[in-house]
Amino acid sequence: MQRFFNSLHSILAIDGIILIFCAVGIYHTALKIDLPIKFKSSGSVLVIKEVYRNDSVPQAGDTVISIDNYKFSSEEEIEVYLDGIHQSQSIKINYFKSGLPLEIWLKPIKFYSTFYIIIDSVTGFLFFLSGIFVLIKKPAEESARLFHWVTIGTAVIVTTTWGNYAFTHLGLGYVLRFLFSIAYTLSPVFFLHFALVFPHKETMVNKNFLYASYLTAGLLGVSSFAVFLFSTSFITSRSIQLYLTFFNCCRFLTVACIISGLMVFLHSYKTTRKESEKKKLRWVLLGLIIGPLGFALLWVVPQAFTSYGLIPEEFVLLMMLTVPVTFSIAILRYHLLDIDLIIKRSVIYFAVIGGLLLVYIALIFVVTNLVQNINEYTISSVSAIIIALLFQPAKNKVQKIVDRKFFRVQYDFREALKKFFNEVKDSNTKKMLTTKIVEQINNLLPVTKIGFFDFDLIKSRITLVAHNNFDLLEGRSIYLNQKELKSELNLPVALPDKVDSSVILEIADNRVFQRWGIALVLPIKSANAGLLGFLVLGEIKSGQKFSMVDVDLLLEVSLQAGFALERIIIQEKLIQEQLIKEKFEELNRLKSFFISSVSHELKTPLTSIKMFSELLQLRKNYTAEESEEYLEIIAGECDRLGRLIENVLDLSKIERGIKEYHFSEIDIKTMLSQALRLMSYQLKMEKCTIEINVCTEEFSISADKDAVMSSIINILSNGLKFSIEPKKIIISMYRENGYLALKFENNGPAISEEEICFITEPYFRTEETRRKNIPGSGIGLALVQQIMNAHHGKLEIQNNPSGGCSFKLNFLLEEKHETNFDN
């Protein structure tokens, strides 16, 4: 039998049967009737309190003699009697009016409104649904099974409450009243039993006490139903009073169990040291205060003494809806919402609204008594405006008091996760991602220190990427052999005294963690469980332990960080591969262009050399002037060819890092003269005019003679190539800001600002040179730039306002100082 009741399928089958009775119970509740008169007790007689009729018979204050010839002393007795009357019957009332006995027949009215029936149905369904849902989620847990029977029993109580048991001749109304009686007494005991095992089983639990409680509740429920059968079979005032006496015993049992359960929960909350259990109990206590305790204090107790509840029954049902919600959250997912935030907000708004309501009443009272002849609407409007203006400041003030006295500032679990997800999603670099994670965690959980460490699997080293207060490890890496670790790093690693005992973790090396001030370490892993890094935290500044909620949040953040890191690594790898591919493509393109350009550059002087050497060989009767001219051309083209080859070799040495410079004192004017002499042939061929503006001051610099000569010749060659007819190059030499400036100006086309930035890159050619197909290798200015860098100088390129371009070589001057010694 026990196995049958513990079987999930068996329990769900029983639930299905009960659900059918609950549906019928709602119908029989809707048929419940009442009289269009309200009564009140006056000693041993009933007096009419209120009449819901337009005529004047009977009236409030009239004394009731009998109802259908039965004498009743309370309205609750009348309710029990009317539950057995069909709604089509008329009710006879005998009463005294001004000392005269009168009689009236009244048609009954509906006891419950349509709105109540809807609320009743929704409430019962939600209780039923929450019980089944929790049981399905955690069928093996005792607390879940007990909660299931508490909610199913409550659903039965709500849907089969006192109704018209005579609505059918099949006796179904009596079955519903039996279910109601049993549920009314057993559900509170189930609740007390639940309190004794949730969130952990109390050591004080005594099985004999539980057996006795269930037996007592069962007997009381059966007895109550038996007396009900007796009182409805032999209707008298005494028999109905006997039933109400038994039912009041059931009511007090309900109140006693609810209060006892509340005391047990408070004891558990006070004694438990686990923050996770405290949060679960806060959810439970919130539901109890609003639901069952409110039901007991505002409905059950008042009815036992006055036959009336303090609030409408619809509001009692709505209050009870908090129970299945809060209890389900406590059992299944207690950190789904921030219970502290909910309680805090409730305290704040109840305090503010209650206080402002008192202020509002006081304002109206004071103004009404002090100011004469003022419209009441004006008073209300002005008071409402004052209250509206006071609301926000009052709320802020109360919130500060509540935060300081009762709560520490906490975070909303879902909002925190949502914010982390957004930050992770928007991070495109490892530095950006880790910095945001460190900042966000430090804002939510102020800790003494926090660091995000990256793990390099190839080098087996961890490196601090982002941190707060890990200054000693900044810029350093630590060797970590993953194979030698005793742990698989599948769980958080922590010091036990720094983390809530409900958290599943691996015990850390106490010596190492205390040395570095570490309390908790979470591994960061990829989707395939590869180690990517660590999230390392010191202890919480407030001295509190990391709660289960804190660790859950950090685990989720670590998981998402691992996915994001893996994504960023893959992205960077793809970008790097794409850049390498583009670089190779560009190099291949430049290589092809360079080979083509250099071939053309080599071919031009070789053609001239071959042509004029063949002319000298074929003809023997050249004059001395002609032979000298041809030989000069051949020599000039040889020099030009040599310079091109030398440029290629020099740039190759520079790119490979093997170019050597030999510095010595040189006269720059002499170097310029020699360069012009070497370039005389090309200057003559291009019909280019040279204008020299050199200051009289003598300059000498420490430089590599060949490198300086190469720079001057390359600048001159560039000017010759791009100058337009009539070609002219202006050369200036002067001192400027500690540099010797050697400036070359030509009258060629301007260079765009964008291209000036790249013009000294190897093999770069401007749009103008490509469009006009101007020959060149693209290495001359690149070589000049490298030479100037090696000499700690500068190459400045700019467009002249009057047209053309200027190229300025700035050589660093060495200042000579004389020291005088005084006797």
Side-chain angles (χ1 to χ4, degrees):
M1 181 66 70
Q2 184 176 0
R3 182 178 298 178
F4 174 81
F5 282 103
N6 285 335
S7 169
L8 179 61
H9 293 91
S10 302
I11 294 174
L12 293 178
I14 295 172
D15 290 346
I17 297 171
I18 293 175
L19 182 61
I20 295 172
F21 281 107
C22 288
V24 178
I26 293 171
Y27 174 70
H28 109 293
T29 303
L31 296 178
K32 185 180 177 69
I33 62 172
D34 195 9
L35 290 172
I37 297 175
K38 286 295 178 186
F39 305 92
K40 64 179 179 180
S41 298
S42 178
S44 60
V45 297
L46 281 177
V47 177
I48 295 174
K49 179 182 179 183
E50 190 176 358
V51 180
Y52 303 125
R53 290 168 59 100
N54 294 327
D55 55 38
S56 59
V57 181
Q59 293 180 340
D62 294 344
T63 303
V64 177
I65 300 173
S66 65
I67 297 175
D68 281 348
N69 298 324
Y70 295 109
K71 292 185 178 181
F72 299 115
S73 58
S74 70
E75 192 169 40
E76 199 169 35
E77 292 176 21
I78 299 172
E79 182 181 350
V80 173
Y81 169 73
L82 292 177
D83 283 346
I85 304 298
H86 195 274
Q87 59 184 353
S88 62
Q89 290 182 236
S90 295
I91 310 296
K92 184 179 74 170
I93 299 179
N94 296 93
Y95 63 97
F96 283 115
K97 184 176 181 63
S98 301
L100 297 175
L102 298 175
E103 178 182 298
I104 188 172
W105 290 84
L106 297 176
K107 293 290 289 184
I109 61 174
K110 285 188 175 183
F111 191 93
Y112 292 117
S113 66
T114 304
F115 175 69
Y116 173 86
I117 297 301
I118 294 172
I119 296 295
D120 183 69
S121 304
V122 171
T123 304
F125 177 73
L126 286 178
F127 266 97
F128 212 97
L129 189 65
S130 62
I132 293 175
F133 181 73
V134 170
L135 181 67
I136 292 174
K137 285 291 184 181
K138 294 189 175 182
E141 289 191 13
E142 183 182 10
S143 60
R145 294 198 301 272
L146 288 170
F147 173 76
H148 164 265
W149 289 119
V150 172
T151 53
I152 296 298
T154 306
V156 172
I157 294 171
V158 169
T159 55
T160 64
T161 187
W162 287 4
N164 195 314
Y165 60 86
F167 72 98
T168 175
H169 295 294
L170 301 176
L172 195 56
Y174 290 97
V175 175
L176 294 175
R177 188 60 66 105
F178 174 75
L179 288 175
F180 173 80
S181 301
I182 296 299
Y184 203 89
T185 53
L186 284 180
S187 295
V189 180
F190 277 121
F191 171 75
L192 179 60
H193 191 176
F194 171 78
L196 292 170
V197 300
F198 183 83
H200 63 270
K201 185 172 288 189
E202 292 284 349
T203 55
M204 67 175 106
V205 177
N206 187 301
K207 288 186 177 181
N208 293 329
F209 165 76
L210 290 175
Y211 291 149
S213 299
Y214 281 116
L215 182 60
T216 301
L219 289 174
L220 185 60
V222 172
S223 300
S224 174
F225 177 70
V227 174
F228 171 77
L229 286 177
F230 171 77
S231 65
T232 54
S233 299
F234 306 96
I235 298 176
T236 63
S237 177
R238 286 185 176 277
S239 65
I240 293 178
Q241 286 176 2
L242 179 64
Y243 168 67
L244 291 176
T245 301
F246 267 84
F247 190 72
N248 280 334
C249 292
C250 298
R251 283 171 172 162
F252 283 114
L253 174 67
T254 299
V255 174
C257 287
I258 291 173
I259 293 176
S260 299
L262 178 61
M263 298 301 293
V264 171
F265 280 128
L266 290 173
H267 176 268
S268 299
Y269 185 82
K270 184 178 179 180
T271 56
T272 185
R273 295 183 178 181
K274 298 180 179 180
E275 182 60 28
S276 58
E277 291 187 355
K278 284 184 178 292
K279 283 188 177 290
K280 292 177 183 179
L281 289 167
R282 283 199 282 271
W283 277 111
V284 168
L285 292 172
L286 177 65
L288 282 176
I289 291 170
I290 299 175
L293 188 61
F295 168 67
L297 297 178
L298 301 176
W299 185 260
V300 176
V301 174
Q303 272 204 330
F305 294 101
T306 66
S307 300
Y308 296 100
L310 295 180
I311 60 175
E313 198 168 353
E314 290 92 337
F315 291 128
V316 173
L317 292 175
L318 290 174
M319 289 168 59
M320 290 293 290
L321 284 178
T322 59
V323 175
V325 175
T326 56
F327 278 50
S328 298
I329 292 173
I331 296 171
L332 298 177
R333 198 67 176 172
Y334 66 91
H335 54 57
L336 178 66
L337 298 170
D338 190 344
I339 179 59
D340 291 339
L341 185 65
I342 292 173
I343 296 175
K344 181 174 70 173
R345 293 275 174 86
S346 302
V347 171
I348 291 169
Y349 284 106
F350 273 119
V352 172
I353 292 172
L356 291 179
L357 184 61
L358 292 176
V359 173
Y360 178 76
I361 295 170
L363 280 173
I364 293 177
F365 177 79
V366 171
V367 174
T368 304
N369 286 276
L370 294 181
V371 182
Q372 301 296 324
N373 301 323
I374 186 170
N375 190 286
E376 61 181 8
Y377 294 109
T378 304
I379 297 174
S380 300
S381 301
V382 172
S383 300
I385 293 172
I386 294 173
I387 295 302
L389 294 173
L390 289 174
F391 180 80
Q392 190 62 35
K395 172 185 167 293
N396 294 338
K397 185 68 176 177
V398 172
Q399 183 167 347
K400 288 181 180 178
I401 295 172
V402 171
D403 282 341
R404 186 172 62 251
K405 296 293 183 182
F406 303 104
F407 298 94
R408 71 178 180 94
V409 178
Q410 294 180 326
Y411 55 85
D412 182 275
F413 186 86
R414 291 194 301 174
E415 286 298 319
L417 271 185
K418 182 179 178 182
K419 193 168 185 179
F420 271 114
F421 291 157
N422 290 334
E423 294 287 354
V424 166
K425 180 182 66 177
D426 296 336
S427 300
N428 296 318
T429 65
K430 187 181 295 184
K431 183 66 177 177
M432 182 189 298
L433 172 70
T434 55
T435 301
K436 285 183 176 180
I437 289 176
V438 167
E439 289 176 354
Q440 289 295 327
I441 292 177
N442 206 35
N443 289 335
L444 292 174
L445 292 170
V447 291
T448 54
K449 56 176 62 178
I450 179 172
F452 198 110
F453 291 81
D454 179 49
F455 177 63
D456 189 328
L457 182 61
I458 298 174
K459 297 180 180 178
S460 296
R461 302 192 75 84
I462 57 173
T463 306
L464 185 63
V465 184
H467 75 98
N468 182 33
N469 287 338
F470 267 110
D471 301 319
L472 288 175
L473 294 176
E474 190 170 5
R476 296 172 58 187
S477 64
I478 303 171
Y479 178 74
L480 175 68
N481 190 340
Q482 192 176 357
K483 295 180 180 179
E484 294 180 1
L485 291 176
K486 299 178 181 178
S487 168
E488 293 293 329
L489 297 176
N490 292 324
L491 295 171
V493 183
L495 295 174
D497 60 333
K498 303 298 182 184
V499 181
D500 191 279
S501 58
S502 62
V503 178
I504 301 174
L505 51 80
E506 292 187 12
I507 307 299
D509 186 319
N510 192 67
R511 181 179 57 83
V512 174
F513 270 48
Q514 287 191 350
R515 174 189 173 191
W516 292 102
I518 299 171
L520 176 65
V521 173
L522 296 105
I524 310 294
K525 294 193 172 186
S526 63
N528 58 359
L531 185 62
L532 298 176
F534 298 93
L535 183 60
V536 181
L537 298 96
E539 62 181 280
I540 298 176
K541 288 182 178 178
S542 63
Q544 292 182 324
K545 295 181 178 181
F546 287 96
S547 67
M548 189 172 182
V549 179
D550 297 334
V551 177
D552 283 349
L553 176 67
L554 292 171
L555 283 171
E556 190 64 35
V557 170
S558 301
L559 179 66
Q560 296 301 321
F563 294 156
L565 270 178
E566 192 171 26
R567 170 179 58 81
I568 290 171
I569 291 170
I570 293 172
Q571 285 178 350
E572 289 178 347
K573 186 177 180 181
L574 290 174
I575 292 170
Q576 189 176 11
E577 288 176 353
Q578 182 63 26
L579 290 174
I580 292 172
K581 180 182 176 183
E582 292 175 358
K583 185 69 175 177
F584 275 121
E585 289 175 354
E586 178 67 12
L587 286 173
N588 286 333
R589 188 185 66 79
L590 291 174
K591 177 183 177 183
S592 299
F593 163 74
F594 175 72
I595 292 172
S596 175
S597 299
V598 171
S599 298
H600 179 75
E601 290 285 298
L602 292 172
K603 186 178 180 180
T604 301
L606 285 173
T607 301
S608 298
I609 293 169
K610 184 178 180 182
M611 182 181 69
F612 286 103
S613 62
E614 287 178 349
L615 287 174
L616 288 173
Q617 287 177 343
L618 294 174
R619 290 178 58 185
K620 305 296 184 182
N621 56 347
Y622 282 110
T623 62
E625 291 79 4
E626 288 177 328
S627 297
E628 186 177 347
E629 181 185 354
Y630 292 169
L631 290 171
E632 183 183 355
I633 291 172
I634 292 171
E637 293 295 344
C638 287
D639 292 338
R640 180 180 168 188
L641 185 60
R643 286 194 296 272
L644 178 59
I645 294 171
E646 188 176 341
N647 279 348
V648 174
L649 293 174
D650 283 346
L651 185 61
S652 175
K653 289 178 181 179
I654 290 171
E655 287 181 340
R656 288 183 293 161
I658 60 173
K659 173 66 177 175
E660 294 183 357
Y661 295 95
H662 303 282
F663 290 84
S664 61
E665 291 289 328
I666 61 171
D667 182 358
I668 196 65
K669 290 182 180 179
T670 303
M671 297 299 299
L672 178 60
S673 298
Q674 291 177 2
L676 289 172
R677 188 164 56 250
L678 290 171
M679 289 290 293
S680 60
Y681 166 72
Q682 283 184 263
L683 293 170
K684 179 181 177 182
M685 295 298 293
E686 296 288 341
K687 298 179 181 179
C688 179
T689 304
I690 299 294
E691 180 182 323
I692 301 176
N693 300 317
V694 179
C695 62
T696 57
E697 185 180 357
E698 294 295 329
F699 295 104
S700 64
I701 60 172
S702 177
D704 185 291
K705 180 179 178 180
D706 294 333
V708 173
M709 181 64 72
S710 175
S711 296
I712 295 173
I713 290 174
N714 274 299
I715 295 294
L716 284 170
S717 299
N718 192 74
L720 275 175
K721 189 180 299 180
F722 292 101
S723 293
I724 58 177
E725 300 291 343
K727 295 188 177 184
K728 182 179 181 180
I729 297 176
I730 301 174
I731 303 174
S732 306
M733 186 185 298
Y734 52 89
R735 179 193 292 268
E736 183 180 56
N737 299 327
Y739 287 91
L740 169 62
L742 187 58
K743 187 176 182 181
F744 300 82
E745 299 176 77
N746 61 58
N747 60 349
I751 308 170
S752 68
E753 293 297 328
E754 293 81 6
E755 291 181 322
I756 286 178
C757 299
F758 300 101
I759 201 167
T760 57
E761 293 289 328
Y763 318 119
F764 179 81
R765 285 168 60 80
T766 64
E767 181 65 29
E768 182 76 10
T769 58
R770 292 195 298 269
R771 186 171 59 84
K772 293 185 178 182
N773 199 23
I774 299 174
S777 61
I779 62 175
L781 291 178
L783 184 61
V784 174
Q785 180 68 69
Q786 294 291 343
I787 291 171
M788 295 309 295
N789 290 342
H791 285 72
H792 304 291
K794 295 184 291 183
L795 169 61
E796 295 181 7
I797 305 170
Q798 61 184 16
N799 294 313
N800 295 328
S802 58
C805 301
S806 67
F807 296 80
K808 184 164 64 172
L809 303 176
N810 293 310
F811 294 97
L812 187 65
L813 289 172
E814 293 185 358
E815 299 291 341
K816 295 181 179 180
H817 303 277
E818 293 183 0
T819 306
N820 297 323
F821 297 93
D822 296 329
N823 294 326

